[in-house]
Amino acid sequence: MASPLKFSGRVVLVTGAGGGLGRTYALAFAERGASVVVNDLGGDIKGDGKSSSAADKVVEEIRAKGGKAVANYDSVEAGEKLIQTALDAFGRIDIVINNAGILRDRSFARINDTDWDIIQKVHLMGSFKVTRAAWNHMKNQKFGRIIMTTSAAGIYGNFGQANYSAAKLGLVGLSNTLAIEGRKYNIYCNAIAPCAGSRLTQTVMPPDLLDALKPEYVAPLVLWLCHESCQENGSLFEVGAGWIGKLRWERSLGAIVQGKNQLVSPEAVQEQWGKITDFANATKPRTIEESMNTLYEALSKVNSEGGISMNPTSQAQSASPSGIEPAKAIGQKLPRVVFNYDHLHTILYALGVGMTTKDPDHLKFLYEGSEDFCCLPTFGTVVSMSVLMSGTLASVPGLSFDFTRLLHGEQYLELYKPLPTTGQITSEATVADVIDKGSGAVIILDVHAYCGKELLCYNQFTVFVVGAGGFGGKRISNKAKVTISPPTRPPDAVMNDATSVDQAALYRLSGDWNPLHIDPNFAALGGFQVPILHGLCTFGFAARHILKHYADNDVNKFRAIKVRFVKPVLPGQTLQTEMWKEGSRIHFQCKVKETGATAIAGAYVDLVSASDKHSARDQPKAAGLQSDLVFEEIGRRLKEVGNQLVKKVNAVFQWDITNSGKTAAQWTIDLKNGSGEVYRGPARCHADTFFTVSDQDFMEVTLGKLSPQKAFFSGKLKLKGNIMLSQKLELILKDYAKL
Ligand code: NAI
């Protein structure tokens, strides 16, 4: 079993907590250590009247059990006052459960303005006001969890509840947008549609059912969604009777009902009605960008092909029953992650991969006071690890899979300079490729890590998703850094190193929290007798052996490493690293000494050779591109007006300029960060919109000979990401791209 989810130190506001579901949430949070503000107006089911007794009773209940709680009797319409109570009593606000609710059920024709208004005010406006009052506190502390309470009546409609349904579905919209706006501040917002026996449902449900549908069946979902370890955001759940399910949108492939240069007619709609309403091969758009892209694709198709129906076969081919759609996934960027570290982390990592004070030459990795204190090169995987750990990979469009079925298959790391012993590292990950191995899917993730603007290192994570293959994709990738077999002669050198029984317990503190490496029950579920060592821990041991044997522990000599993880190692076993030197490349493999099993295979370390001059920052300049001059000019002009444009545009545009069908240069126009910047190379932060265009067509556009719209519709200019933002581009090209 996972360890109990605690809320110690967290302050929770539950609105409408004087009874029903709210009371259960309040009690559950308090029981797990949270300080709770129990809000309830104490009115009747229709919202009439007022009393303090409902909230007081629940506060007493919590205190009697040794919990911490205070009451608040304001209506949720006075949002600020509720949050003030939390601040006055406990000094902060971490979690808001918007739960207060009333009913004014009437068939639609009989709903009067008062019935309509009060329902919107309590449910929708109340949730807005309370959440808005908490928002900046959450933003400043970079933590917040919010629940909106919607209802099946809103999702599906229900007779006699037009006012209530409208407000309740409004809350889903509110939740979706807060999830987007809050994400970067670690504020997550989700909506739940509960079903439970309470005074709201007692008139519509038989007594037996009321008893069976306990609010206690709903509270666990609310608590999990609000826990700091839960990464769910912007989702909608139905919950009740001990069952929980997640909802999402499904959209038919649809049909284009417009012909080239023709207006849409009702007859064309009628003709295509079968296709418009056919859910075969339906898609599941998750973002407004995904939704809009279909519209833009349709526009482009109409203008370039003049056809009037979507091409169902090509769409059907790209959809995969396994949830893997390479065409959608490849090139997608994951949210940027920032990793702050100092000597504590680098020393902890060094201990995690077996460094010991028994070895005098290890001291420079273990003691910050050491004259040549430095950071192990393989710490470069740690700085970008949270890209994988955050779970966002499974939500990339075209990569819908079960995250628990993911295995770390291979790892490549390349350093462009030695890692500093302290730093703030920003990692940007792109899905480089997706391969179909039949039994599973292989996802190749390219991650560039920057310290400020300087590219520090590059990781390629290769992960295997068990059971997600069979989508008809390609079998090999030209993007993959490949493993290489060692020479057939006996190894030139061998090093043995015993891991400690606590090796995994120590290594995980460097940021790989997978319970498989610490929790015996979890390990048993995976078929292991004891928790296993992290593959990257074995990797760290082996890299350290090579650094010592062939580079005299000089981190300046370490350039790159590639490994394939073959079999797990158990903490306490002895690692045997076999090494072969071939020029500046050291081939190696790692075995478990006790069993002879190979743990790492096909691996190598590249050391810096005398002639080695590598720098990812020195992107080769493609000769003779006219667009280079334009970008350089845009850069110069933006220096004068960058600030204003950043405010107006607030977007990052990445350009792939092609020449003879191949990417010849990449440029980024960053009008989001600082006072704006134009630079050669891919976007250092998350780009909002991606353009691909030939050098020649780019010039036609900037010289005003070809409008961006025409270029787009004729397929000369390709767009990805947030296409709506591209409209702002004309502003730049019109005014700042003059040569
Ligand atoms: P409940 O009536 O037992 O609890 C609602 C609480 O909100 C009451 O204690 C009430 O005094 C309080 N309240 C009403 N107006 C308020 C205001 N202006 N300010 C502060 N407090 C106020 O009802 P229940 O069933 O526990 O409902 C909780 C939430 O769940 C509601 O939003 C409801 O619409 C929603 N819901 C419940 C379902 C169910 O099966 N019980 C089904 C779908 C949604």
Side-chain angles (χ1 to χ4, degrees), residues 15-22 39-44 47 54 74-77 98-102 122-123 149-152 164 168 193-201 205:
T15 72
L21 286 161
N39 155 264
D40 208 291
L41 181 66
D44 69 14
D74 293 301
S75 167
V76 283
E77 294 157 75
N98 290 295
N99 165 78
I102 54 166
V122 172
H123 290 275
T149 308
T150 179
S151 159
Y164 180 74
K168 284 303 200 189
C195 185
S198 74
R199 68 174 194 173
L200 280 194
T201 43
M205 286 183 189

Side-chain angles (χ1 to χ4, degrees), residues 511-695:
D512 189 336
W513 302 103
N514 188 339
L516 180 65
H517 306 293
I518 186 83
D519 184 339
N521 294 324
F522 200 90
L525 281 178
F528 300 107
Q529 283 185 344
V530 292
I532 59 172
L533 201 59
H534 305 69
L536 281 176
C537 178
T538 309
F539 161 94
F541 265 76
R544 174 167 87 51
H545 294 158
I546 291 156
L547 191 70
K548 181 171 173 121
H549 198 83
Y550 287 107
D552 200 19
N553 272 337
D554 180 355
V555 295
N556 292 293
K557 292 189 180 152
F558 192 99
R559 202 184 108 181
I561 177 167
K562 169 76 191 181
V563 304
R564 181 155 60 87
F565 300 110
V566 182
K567 280 222 167 93
V569 175
L570 304 182
Q573 289 182 322
T574 299
L575 292 171
Q576 187 169 61
T577 307
E578 299 175 341
M579 302 169 260
W580 293 259
K581 184 165 179 351
E582 295 276 290
S584 56
R585 174 161 289 177
I586 316 297
H587 295 272
F588 72 96
Q589 62 186 21
C590 226
K591 289 182 175 162
V592 175
K593 188 153 186 254
E594 290 81 355
T595 62
T598 304
I600 283 179
Y604 64 85
V605 163
D606 279 338
L607 298 173
V608 175
S609 64
S611 60
D612 208 358
K613 279 195 267 148
H614 71 282
S615 163
R617 279 156 275 135
D618 301 339
Q619 273 217 357
K621 237 185 176 181
L625 288 184
Q626 302 177 72
S627 50
D628 280 355
L629 298 175
V630 179
F631 282 110
E632 279 161 14
E633 181 57 23
I634 298 176
R636 262 193 295 280
R637 292 187 185 218
L638 287 189
K639 280 208 176 106
E640 294 149 30
V641 286
N643 275 332
Q644 300 159 26
L645 268 187
V646 166
K647 269 195 205 132
K648 254 196 220 161
V649 178
N650 193 31
V652 178
F653 304 106
Q654 183 182 308
W655 293 81
D656 276 21
I657 304 293
T658 62
N659 205 359
S660 311
K662 288 198 181 128
T663 301
Q666 284 186 310
W667 282 91
T668 300
I669 303 181
D670 180 346
L671 288 174
K672 196 179 213 169
N673 301 299
S675 51
E677 197 186 353
V678 177
Y679 52 84
R680 179 180 281 276
R684 291 174 197 135
C685 52
H686 173 75
D688 296 289
T689 315
F690 299 82
F691 301 91
T692 305
V693 64
S694 74
D695 188 46

